[in-house]
Amino acid sequence: MARKMWRPFTRAWRGHLCALGLLVALTSLLVSLALGAGAVGAVTAIRDATSPIAEQPTYIVVTRLAADPDLQDAQVRAVIDDELSVPFTVERSEIASPGDTAFAQWEVEIPAVNPEDVAALVDAGDRIRLALRDTSAVVRGIQLDDALTPQLAPIAETLPSLRNLTLVPSVLLFLIGMVLVVQVAVTLPRSRSDALRIMDARGASRPHIALHAAAEALVAGGGGAIIGVVLARLALQPWGGGPLVLQAAGGTAFVLALAVASAIDSVRASHRARRDVRLTKAALLLVVAVLTAATMWRLLRSGVDAISAPALGLATLTGVLISLVIVTPLGGALAGVSSRTRGLILPLSFRRAARRQAASAPAALLVALAVAS
């Protein structure tokens, strides 16, 4: 019964649902691009650092030629393969020297270095040297020329700081985007509250209403999240696409927030819920303000790290929540002041903004999202 009533109900509001999907796509796109900014900077730094050695071998291994050259070659290649977790090529050659002493030489070349490989490659030369000394491939000593470690050592020290810096805009956009998605999601049940109450009068239960509202949001928001993440990864493709797990987690969080907000507010709208939410807003504002103070203190004391990275995002979110809380009394006060002047445009505008906070809040959040991006 509820399903039959909900189908025309959904079709009548498909434009609004498409707008919700586009909103989720926009927020997912911005957050995914912000998360991928660290990969762009890291790849650029690695390319600049490795460009001087692009035309020469990464490692050169030299030792005396063994009695069984094939076994020696197999042992050297096996050690190199065990110690290097990236694609590489190996070329073996024999070098003659005075005194009838022959040497074997292996030139190892790594075509590309990704940011996630830096930590493993920064000491790969030393690991290869130590591992070869424990084999019979080394005859009277070994020489290993490492051209990569001097280039990657400074980058390995700066990559964690670079990743922490990308957390700041990413968390900022994520928090503002989450508030924006939830705030816009609750406008749909409120705008069709009369129709929801008709469904309630016809026998639709609260779980059915919540289930169908969540299904709407999952379909619309899921498609939007997929589009946003895919577009971001396509834009970041020259730099590896960014962290897929974090990008997918951000899009999933937006979709789940949209579904939960839609389900809860649909049930409330269908039963004429007029619960006073001032206490809830005050509690939320208090929690966010405390988190903001703690992370800002950490940021000023220890700099940017995993704990202090959300500080700026939480500060912006606190400001947005404060503006949403004070918009009603501020609008009333401005309406009272402007009523003493000539004309009705300003007083009516302020009164309308004060009375329709839910309608004006998404616009304010969109402006905050644009500034943050």
Side-chain angles (χ1 to χ4, degrees), residues 160-233:
S161 300
L162 183 62
R163 293 191 181 99
N164 289 335
L165 287 176
T166 59
L167 286 177
V168 176
S170 301
V171 174
L172 172 63
L173 290 173
F174 176 78
L175 292 175
I176 297 178
M178 184 67 70
V179 176
L180 175 62
V181 167
V182 172
Q183 186 67 36
V184 174
V186 301
T187 61
L188 179 57
R190 293 176 184 176
S191 60
R192 57 184 186 182
S193 57
D194 293 338
L196 284 169
R197 286 193 290 269
I198 292 174
M199 292 185 62
D200 177 51
R202 291 181 177 179
S205 63
R206 291 188 179 187
H208 283 157
I209 292 176
L211 180 62
H212 287 290
E216 276 184 346
L218 288 175
V219 172
I226 292 174
I227 292 174
V229 172
V230 169
L231 289 178
R233 292 192 63 80

Side-chain angles (χ1 to χ4, degrees), residues 181-331:
V181 167
V182 172
Q183 186 67 36
V184 174
V186 301
T187 61
L188 179 57
R190 293 176 184 176
S191 60
R192 57 184 186 182
S193 57
D194 293 338
L196 284 169
R197 286 193 290 269
I198 292 174
M199 292 185 62
D200 177 51
R202 291 181 177 179
S205 63
R206 291 188 179 187
H208 283 157
I209 292 176
L211 180 62
H212 287 290
E216 276 184 346
L218 288 175
V219 172
I226 292 174
I227 292 174
V229 172
V230 169
L231 289 178
R233 292 192 63 80
L234 289 177
L236 296 170
Q237 190 60 38
W239 299 277
L244 177 59
V245 175
L246 292 178
Q247 291 170 338
T252 304
F254 287 133
V255 175
L256 294 178
L258 181 66
V260 172
S262 299
I264 293 175
D265 276 85
S266 294
V267 173
R268 289 180 177 178
S270 65
H271 289 79
R272 291 185 178 271
R274 292 292 184 264
R275 183 181 302 176
D276 188 7
V277 295
R278 293 180 181 177
L279 183 61
T280 303
K281 290 181 179 179
L284 176 62
L285 178 58
L286 178 62
V287 171
V288 175
V290 170
L291 292 176
T292 301
T295 53
M296 287 296 293
W297 176 80
R298 174 81 178 199
L299 179 64
L300 295 176
R301 184 185 180 100
S302 305
V304 179
D305 54 20
I307 298 177
S308 63
L312 296 180
L314 288 172
T316 304
L317 181 59
T318 303
V320 172
L321 292 176
I322 292 175
S323 65
L324 294 180
V325 169
I326 67 175
V327 66
T328 298
L330 180 62

Side-chain angles (χ1 to χ4, degrees), residues 8-23 184 187-188 191-192 216 220:
F9 191 42
T10 300
R11 286 195 297 268
W13 293 88
R14 55 191 173 189
H16 196 123
L17 292 173
C18 290
L20 289 178
L22 291 176
L23 177 63
V184 174
T187 61
L188 179 57
S191 60
R192 57 184 186 182
E216 276 184 346

